[in-house]
Amino acid sequence: MSRVHLNRELELVAAQPAPDGAGGFAETWQKIGTLWAEIRPRRGRESKGEAGAVAVGRFRITVRGAPQGASARPVPGQRFRMGARLFRILAVTEREPGGMYLVCETQEEVAS
């Protein structure tokens, strides 16, 4: 296996419901922790979004392993945040049987 270079600092964030002041709830994103990661582009395409064209990029993000159920272990539905960039986590798998690293398949959408 190739060497992993964890050289990008990412925030792991999860959706939390928050009262919207009108009796309902709005979705807010709360920071769970900070992880060091390797980011590798996979592929991209242009798609139609609600407000026009959207560039959709797929990325493979590798982070240190964490046990199932640990708050530091990413799960689908969470996001990685790097500055203004958001990477939606689609799937998480262990890179090798020992679980030293986790591989996260992610998607980023940017208005084009």
Side-chain angles (χ1 to χ4, degrees), residues 65-80:
Q68 291 281 350
S71 63
R73 186 183 178 105
V75 296
Q78 293 178 336
R79 295 177 179 172
F80 289 118

Side-chain angles (χ1 to χ4, degrees), residues 67-90:
Q68 291 281 350
S71 63
R73 186 183 178 105
V75 296
Q78 293 178 336
R79 295 177 179 172
F80 289 118
R81 181 169 44 209
M82 184 173 67
R85 297 178 72 182
L86 292 171
F87 302 90
R88 185 166 46 103
I89 301 171
L90 306 173

Side-chain angles (χ1 to χ4, degrees), residues 4-27:
V4 177
H5 300 283
L6 304 178
N7 58 1
R8 301 288 181 99
E9 186 176 9
L10 303 177
E11 290 182 351
L12 178 62
V13 296
Q16 301 293 322
D20 65 5
F25 289 91
E27 188 176 79

Side-chain angles (χ1 to χ4, degrees), residues 1-2 15 17 20 22-24 35-36 38 42-43 46-47 51-52 56 65 73 82 92 98 103 111:
M1 282 196 170
S2 63
D20 65 5
L35 302 172
W36 285 92
E38 175 183 77
R42 303 286 288 156
R43 63 182 182 270
E46 187 171 81
S47 180
V56 178
R73 186 183 178 105
M82 184 173 67
V92 179
V103 175

Side-chain angles (χ1 to χ4, degrees), residues 14-108:
Q16 301 293 322
D20 65 5
F25 289 91
E27 188 176 79
T28 62
W29 290 87
Q30 183 174 6
K31 180 180 173 180
I32 296 173
T34 301
L35 302 172
W36 285 92
E38 175 183 77
I39 302 175
R40 292 187 180 259
R42 303 286 288 156
R43 63 182 182 270
R45 63 181 170 80
E46 187 171 81
S47 180
K48 293 218 182 257
E50 293 178 22
V54 176
V56 178
R58 293 283 179 121
F59 295 84
R60 179 168 285 163
I61 298 179
T62 303
V63 298
R64 287 212 187 282
Q68 291 281 350
S71 63
R73 186 183 178 105
V75 296
Q78 293 178 336
R79 295 177 179 172
F80 289 118
R81 181 169 44 209
M82 184 173 67
R85 297 178 72 182
L86 292 171
F87 302 90
R88 185 166 46 103
I89 301 171
L90 306 173
V92 179
T93 58
E94 293 178 347
R95 186 168 183 252
E96 74 288 320
M100 186 172 186
Y101 296 102
L102 299 173
V103 175
C104 305
E105 297 297 333
T106 68
Q107 179 172 299
E108 178 186 37

